[in-house]
């Protein structure tokens, strides 16, 4: 029945094309070791989406899981804000897709809704991930909702406070690993390959099936049209690949004609993909000791690098790097000109847009969508440190006025 609606669902190696059934627990290709993607191309009209609740499950025919077993917190359907002031300042038509409005405050919820639904279908009892923070916060919440045991590995001392609080508070077993994210991911992958847990990092292609709904919503929000360009931060590189997959699926389905240029932004100290694209390579050279204030994207060996680079080349897109200083100033700019509060990694998209406009690589007047991936409260220390301390004052009108008027 499911297959009748959705076509043949399977996993396929992105390099050699080897195919795997959708009920097999497998993360990389047995034949060549490359990464996998899910194939799901339903034969439906976009009229079926009409009048449905505005969550990512509005597009459920495109989600490769059993619709009767969905584990959801009503993720997706996030704000799509036209930013006229900032757009004018930069000389472009700017929209911001606010993923911090998801249930746990980041886009990861879209992937976890599908990933945990898949875990339930497969009958596993334990799920796990390594994370720079948001993946763990999201997995912990969705595992709790589904009644699954959850183990998360975090790089010790490098996870923003809000994310750590969420992972712990939703009841996951949180382990602080001595090492960076790449080392934590390597370790949890070994546990998954031993069959100890079902891995829900984005090497699991079902995660990306949920995240592709960002692409669906952008073209739906624009009245079934692609913007000229989609700009987003890139860390482990799943999200840029997922959004591109979603948009190309909608094009194949005949819902849209044109495609956007996918533009990935990395922090200067953690930019293996931007470097590979600059040198016109198809794969990365890992960065040994990645470093950036944007801890969410502090990643040196992104697992979905091949998919991300393919998305950038296929879409005639770009990759760019930004400094920590540019990230923090873009974060403040977005918060104070448009009222949109995002965490540092998310602001990389705005910082990248500014840099690409300044260097002439983005034309004036382009229609741009910046995806801002996580909420400002994920990393409260960064926000507080960027501001002056509040002035302490007596609860007295004269005293208050003296401070407010500055005399
Ligand atoms: N923005 C935020 C807020 C993130 O948390 C992440 C990734 C990214 C951007 C990059 O997305 O990895 O798909 O390229 N965070 C992961 C985590 C790695 O563990 O939470 P990506």
């Amino acid at each position: 029945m499911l297959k009748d609606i959705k076509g043949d669902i399977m996993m396929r190696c992105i390099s050699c094309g080897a195919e795997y059934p959708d009920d097999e627990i497998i993360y990389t290709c047995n034949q060549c070791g490359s990464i996998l993607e899910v194939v799901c191309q339903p034969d439906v009209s976009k009229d079926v989406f009409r009048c449905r609740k505005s969550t990512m499950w509005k597009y459920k025919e495109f989600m490769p899981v059993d619709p009767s077993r969905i584990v959801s917190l009503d993720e997706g359907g996030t704000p799509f804000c036209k930013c006229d002031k900032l757009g004018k300042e930069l000389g472009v038509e700017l929209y911001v897709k606010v993923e911090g409005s998801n249930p746990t405050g980041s886009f990861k919820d879209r992937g976890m809704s599908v990933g945990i639904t898949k875990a339930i279908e497969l009958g596993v009892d334990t799920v796990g991930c390594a994370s720079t923070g948001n993946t763990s916060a999201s997995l912990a919440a969705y595992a709790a909702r589904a009644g699954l045991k959850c183990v998360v590995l975090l790089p010790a001392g490098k996870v923003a406070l809000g994310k750590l609080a969420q992972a712990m508070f939703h009841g996951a077993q949180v382990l602080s690993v001595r090492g960076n994210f790449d080392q934590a991911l390597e370790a949890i992958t070994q546990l998954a390959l031993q069959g100890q847990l079902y891995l829900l990092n984005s090497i699991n292609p079902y995660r990306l099936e949920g995240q592709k709904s960002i692409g669906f919503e952008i073209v739906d929000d624009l009245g079934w049209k692609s913007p000229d360009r989609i700009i987003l931060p890139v860390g482990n590189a799943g999200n840029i690949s997922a959004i591109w997959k979603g948009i190309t699926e909608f094009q194949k389905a005949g819902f849209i004609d044109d495609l956007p240029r996918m533009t990935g932004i990395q922090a200067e100290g953690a930019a293996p993909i931007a470097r590979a694209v600059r040198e016109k390579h198809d794969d990365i050279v890992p960065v040994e000791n990645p470093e950036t204030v944007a801890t969410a994207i502090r990643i040196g060996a992104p697992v979905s690098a091949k998919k991300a680079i393919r998305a950038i080349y296929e879409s005639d897109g770009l990759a760019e790097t930004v400094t920590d200083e540019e990230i923090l100033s873009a974060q403040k700019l977005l918060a104070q000109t448009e009222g949109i509060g995002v965490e540092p990694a998310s602001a990389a998209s705005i910082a990248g847009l500014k840099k690409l406009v300044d260097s002439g690589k983005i034309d004036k007047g382009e229609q741009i969508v910046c995806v801002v991936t996580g909420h400002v409260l994920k990393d409260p220390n960064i926000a507080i440190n960027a501001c002056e301390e509040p002035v302490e004052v007596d609860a007295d009108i004269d005293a208050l006025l003296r401070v407010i008027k500055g005399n």
Side-chain angles (χ1 to χ4, degrees):
M1 178 60 185
L2 185 60
K3 297 211 163 149
D4 287 347
I5 309 166
K6 297 177 190 257
D8 280 333
I9 299 171
M10 60 176 165
M11 288 177 282
R12 188 166 57 202
C13 171
I14 69 155
S15 297
C16 74
E19 292 176 358
Y20 300 92
D22 70 331
D23 57 358
E24 189 170 338
I25 297 184
I26 183 172
Y27 306 103
T28 51
C29 179
N30 280 340
Q31 314 274 317
C32 75
S34 191
I35 46 179
L36 308 175
E37 65 185 357
V38 176
V39 179
C40 168
Q41 189 70 48
D43 184 12
V44 287
S45 146
K46 67 180 188 304
D47 294 343
V48 299
F49 306 142
R50 269 206 213 127
C51 304
R52 285 188 183 161
K53 193 168 170 181
S54 177
T55 76
M56 66 172 239
W57 293 100
K58 177 176 175 185
Y59 315 100
K60 64 184 178 194
E61 287 78 4
F62 282 79
M63 299 297 166
V65 285
D66 181 348
S68 69
R69 307 179 83 170
I70 293 169
V71 180
S72 172
L73 289 163
D74 278 359
E75 49 292 315
T78 52
F80 188 67
C81 296
K82 186 140 191 278
C83 290
D84 287 334
K85 275 196 281 178
L86 193 50
K88 194 163 172 215
E89 200 172 313
L90 298 172
V92 296
E93 184 185 335
L94 178 62
Y95 293 85
V96 170
K97 182 75 173 150
V98 187
E99 288 297 294
S101 294
N102 276 298
T104 75
S106 84
F107 68 95
K108 305 286 180 179
D109 296 340
R110 299 174 185 265
M112 287 310 170
S113 184
V114 171
I116 288 288
T117 302
K118 188 70 197 170
I120 295 290
E121 271 181 29
L122 291 167
V124 303
D125 57 15
T126 306
V127 291
C129 70
S131 180
T132 57
N134 282 321
T135 300
S136 66
S138 184
L139 182 60
Y142 283 80
R145 189 150 172 92
L148 298 176
K149 184 169 160 33
C150 175
V151 180
V152 308
L153 304 194
L154 304 179
K158 293 292 182 186
V159 172
L161 211 60
K163 307 174 190 184
L164 183 60
Q166 287 177 295
M168 295 192 302
F169 201 62
H170 286 298
Q173 186 172 15
V174 178
L175 304 175
S176 233
V177 172
R178 289 183 208 101
N180 63 24
F181 168 81
D182 300 299
Q183 291 159 327
L185 182 57
E186 180 64 38
I188 196 106
T189 305
Q190 293 308 319
L191 284 176
L193 292 174
Q194 275 188 14
Q196 306 287 346
L197 48 83
Y198 183 55
L199 186 62
L200 276 168
N201 279 100
S202 56
I203 194 166
N204 183 329
Y206 285 91
R207 269 269 315 276
L208 302 187
E209 292 301 294
Q211 289 171 210
K212 73 186 180 183
S213 60
I214 299 175
F216 295 165
E217 288 176 15
I218 289 172
V219 298
D220 190 342
D221 280 328
L222 286 172
W224 301 106
K225 282 208 293 282
S226 279
D228 294 319
R229 193 179 292 276
I230 296 177
I231 306 182
L232 71 157
V234 172
N236 217 16
N239 210 28
I240 189 168
S241 326
I243 295 175
W244 178 241
K245 185 172 192 284
I247 292 196
T248 51
E249 282 177 6
F250 268 15
Q251 191 207 35
K252 281 185 205 135
F255 302 168
I256 53 168
D257 297 324
D258 297 334
L259 292 167
R261 293 179 170 187
M262 300 304 296
T263 300
I265 313 296
Q266 295 203 289
E268 213 162 73
I273 291 176
R275 206 148 298 142
V277 170
R278 194 179 311 141
E279 290 162 10
K280 301 194 165 47
H281 293 160
D282 291 330
D283 213 346
I284 55 150
V285 178
V287 172
E288 274 306 312
N289 294 304
E291 204 44 83
T292 166
V293 69
T295 51
I297 52 171
R298 188 173 173 272
I299 295 173
V303 292
S304 297
K306 273 197 178 129
K307 286 183 185 173
I309 292 171
R310 189 181 64 176
I312 290 168
Y313 290 157
E314 278 179 11
S315 68
D316 193 22
L318 284 170
E320 186 54 278
T321 59
V322 288
T323 63
D324 282 357
E325 213 183 342
E326 287 166 331
I327 288 174
L328 294 177
S329 107
Q331 185 193 20
K332 208 165 191 178
L333 182 69
L334 184 63
Q336 301 193 352
T337 26
E338 297 288 356
I340 300 173
V342 303
E343 67 169 283
S346 314
S349 59
I350 302 291
L353 166 62
K354 188 168 176 345
K355 185 167 174 186
L356 290 167
V357 168
D358 289 346
S359 65
K361 289 188 189 150
I362 288 183
D363 293 330
K364 294 275 170 191
E366 273 191 40
Q367 188 184 58
I368 308 278
V369 175
C370 281
V371 181
V372 292
T373 43
H375 198 279
V376 64
L377 292 177
K378 290 284 192 172
D379 198 340
N381 293 335
I382 290 276
I384 288 169
N385 291 339
C387 304
E388 305 261 312
E389 286 216 2
V391 177
E392 201 173 313
V393 62
D394 289 330
D396 164 86
I397 292 199
D398 291 335
L400 287 168
L401 277 177
R402 262 198 306 281
V403 177
I404 292 167
K405 304 273 185 201
N407 53 36

